[in-house]
């Protein structure tokens, strides 16, 4: 469970601390951005009930 | 200090479009098809929605047995490499969306409630049960455990094998091998392997994998042991699985012989009985009881314990008659099963 929390915290920290990493919350927008930039997509599914 | 900005993973993530999805409403669950009982799961893909690799997966012991910062970093690096080289794209799976499941719509969308991942999995199974396509060995026992076939991974190193026992060792798998292909499909992560292993028909008796050993690819045919697909289902919130609130273990060959029970039978010894069983008056089992038969049956081709027999052959709410051995006596005992209900 500790590793899971670490990974979840890590990606959250990325959004908070690093201006270069922007976490989108819309899949269609991610695909559109990937088409425009040529970058691959790093997609995270997270359960946050 | 662990910081995405300075860490190897942070540097890799900057080369991606990063997206986090917490609501599944509009997601193509046909394309992003994974075990919905994962708390967190990653995909690396391109703008044409070609999936390069997956990352995630779990076992019954913990949701994070196979999650690790080092192996996630390896996966992120591999994703960039694959994106640069563009491997051929496999056929795209048939699209599917949460809105295709009327019971899910009725109990989430219509009530403006979150479409949670595990709800998708459970309602898919409820619909399968209604239309007669539910295959419990496949749909309840998702994500077979590699440890069941004797493969223990060095998790930080991705698919490098730390220890091989049982079926894997018998097939020649060795510590230090890296799993490169499973059933002819290239795999890069534990999630890739678990996804391919899950595609194995449950009646299969062999699995084919390729391991990288000392720079060479080695083909391995592994004989699958009985119930290779079995895993503990307690962490799953499944309303198509009958609930009866006891745990058991298979009898040993010697125990079966001593009790005059068939060697190939599913007789088992009760290890634990929850107070829920008493409260709900489901049965009168006690710890150390032996369940010798259910509804007169002692043998089933797929079950190695009485509890597995009940899960595979009964639906929630069904009743059964147990033949129980207790203190040298044979008891006929009624059993009722229940349906799990949660937020529905």
């Amino acid at each position: 469970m500790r590793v899971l929390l670490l990974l979840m915290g890590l990606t959250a920290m990325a959004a908070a601390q690093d201006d270069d990493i922007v976490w989108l919350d819309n899949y269609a927008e991610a695909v559109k951005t990937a088409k425009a930039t040529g970058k691959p997509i790093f997609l995270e599914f997270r359960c946050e009930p | 200090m662990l910081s995405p900005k300075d860490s190897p993973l942070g540097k890799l993530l900057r080369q991606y479009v990063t997206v986090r999805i917490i609501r599944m409403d509009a997601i193509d669950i046909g394309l992003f098809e994974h075990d919905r009982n994962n708390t967190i799961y990653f995909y690396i893909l391109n703008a044409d929605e070609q999936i390069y690799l997956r990352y995630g997966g779990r076992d019954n012991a913990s949701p994070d047995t196979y999650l690790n910062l080092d192996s996630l970093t390896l996966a992120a690096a591999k994703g960039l490499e694959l994106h640069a080289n563009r491997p051929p794209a496999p056929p795209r799976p048939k699209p599917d969306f949460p809105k295709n499941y009327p019971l899910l719509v009725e109990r989430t969308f219509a009530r403006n409630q979150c479409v949670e991942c595990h709800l998708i999995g459970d309602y898919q199974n409820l619909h399968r049960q209604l239309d007669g396509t539910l295959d419990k060995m496949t749909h309840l026992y998702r994500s077979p455990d590699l440890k069941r076939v004797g493969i223990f991974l060095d998790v930080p190193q991705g698919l490098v094998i730390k220890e091989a026992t049982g079926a894997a060792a018998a097939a020649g798998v060795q510590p230090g091998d890296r799993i490169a292909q499973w059933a002819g499909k290239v795999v890069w992560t534990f999630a890739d392997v678990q996804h391919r292993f899950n595609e194995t028909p449950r009646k299969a008796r062999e699995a084919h994998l390729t391991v990288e050993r000392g720079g060479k690819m080695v083909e391995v045919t592994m004989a699958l042991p009985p119930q290779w697909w079995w895993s503990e289902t307690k962490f799953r919130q499944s309303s198509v699985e009958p609930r009866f609130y006891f745990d058991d273990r298979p009898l040993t060959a010697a125990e079966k012989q001593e009790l005059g029970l068939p060697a190939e039978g599913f007789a088992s010894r009760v290890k634990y009985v929850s107070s829920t069983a008493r409260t709900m008056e489901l049965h009168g089992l006690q710890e150390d009881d032996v369940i010798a038969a259910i509804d007169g049956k002692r043998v089933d081709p797929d079950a190695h314990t009485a509890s597995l027999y009940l899960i595979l052959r009964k639906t929630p709410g069904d009743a059964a008659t147990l033949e129980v051995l207790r203190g040298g006596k044979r008891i006929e005992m009624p059993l009722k099963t229940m349906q799990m209900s949660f937020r529905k």
Side-chain angles (χ1 to χ4, degrees), chain B residues 28-41:
Chain B
D28 181 351
I29 55 175
L31 178 63
F32 299 111
E33 205 284 319
H34 60 263
D35 187 343
R36 306 296 170 193
N37 282 108
N38 282 282
T39 308
I40 193 166
Y41 206 88

Side-chain angles (χ1 to χ4, degrees), chain B residues 28 57-58 68 80 128 144 162 166 244 289 292 296 317:
Chain B
D28 181 351
R58 61 165 297 162
N68 177 274
L80 291 172
R128 287 173 181 134
K162 184 165 67 179
F244 36 75
D289 282 349

Side-chain angles (χ1 to χ4, degrees), chain B residues 273-293:
Chain B
V273 181
S274 162
S275 58
T276 305
R278 243 188 324 275
T279 307
M280 303 305 294
E281 298 181 333
L282 298 181
H283 53 75
L285 285 170
Q286 298 175 5
E287 287 179 23
D288 223 31
D289 282 349
V290 169
I291 303 173

Side-chain angles (χ1 to χ4, degrees), chain B residues 176-177 212-216:
Chain B
D177 287 354
E212 185 183 356
R213 181 182 302 155
K216 290 182 180 167

Side-chain angles (χ1 to χ4, degrees), chain B residues 56-253:
Chain B
R58 61 165 297 162
D59 63 7
N60 66 292
S62 167
D64 63 5
T65 297
Y66 292 101
L67 302 180
N68 177 274
L69 207 49
D70 291 338
S71 62
L72 180 60
T73 304
L74 283 176
K78 179 54 72 177
L80 291 172
E81 185 187 317
L82 292 169
H83 188 62
N85 296 326
R86 292 284 181 132
R92 184 182 171 118
K94 188 181 165 194
D96 192 13
F97 292 90
K99 286 184 179 176
N100 295 342
Y101 298 89
L103 288 172
L104 183 65
V105 171
E106 183 188 313
R107 291 165 193 179
T108 56
F109 290 94
R111 297 179 188 180
N112 204 26
Q113 288 181 354
C114 179
V115 182
E116 296 173 39
C117 297
H118 72 91
L119 289 178
I120 292 171
D122 192 44
Y123 280 107
Q124 282 178 316
N125 280 342
L126 277 170
H127 277 280
R128 287 173 181 134
Q129 188 173 57
L130 288 172
D131 65 22
T133 58
L134 181 70
D135 171 359
K136 289 184 174 179
M137 284 159 62
T138 302
H139 299 126
L140 294 189
Y141 293 91
R142 276 214 63 151
S143 306
D145 194 338
L146 279 184
K147 296 189 287 294
R148 192 97 178 136
V149 293
I151 295 178
F152 297 80
L153 295 176
D154 186 349
V155 174
Q157 293 198 60
L159 290 180
V160 176
I161 293 169
K162 184 165 67 179
E163 185 184 2
T165 63
V173 174
Q174 299 175 9
D177 287 354
R178 183 186 69 82
I179 305 171
Q181 290 187 22
W182 194 281
K185 307 278 177 53
V186 175
V187 289
W188 298 110
T189 63
F190 170 73
D192 285 346
V193 170
Q194 197 171 46
H195 181 66
R196 297 303 176 195
F197 194 19
N198 185 59
E199 290 177 335
T200 309
R202 298 301 188 256
K203 298 285 187 186
R205 290 291 166 261
E206 282 184 349
H208 300 275
L209 52 155
T210 304
V211 298
E212 185 183 356
R213 181 182 302 155
K216 290 182 180 167
M217 292 296 177
V218 179
E219 305 287 329
V220 175
T221 297
M222 181 167 59
L224 293 167
Q227 286 89 33
W228 58 267
W229 42 268
W230 181 89
S231 60
E232 184 57 73
T233 56
K234 284 202 171 48
F235 68 90
R236 297 182 184 278
Q237 303 182 70
S238 168
S239 53
V240 297
E241 179 182 322
R243 302 277 162 168
F244 36 75
Y245 300 99
F246 73 82
D247 293 341
D248 57 353
R249 66 155 179 86
L251 290 188
T252 63

Side-chain angles (χ1 to χ4, degrees), chain A residues 1 18 22 27 38 41 45, chain B residues 14 18 41 45 49 64 83:
Chain A
M1 185 60 80
D18 192 336
V22 177
Y27 177 70
I41 299 167
F45 286 113
Chain B
R14 278 203 290 273
T18 47
Y41 206 88
L45 64 155
E49 300 184 293
D64 63 5
H83 188 62

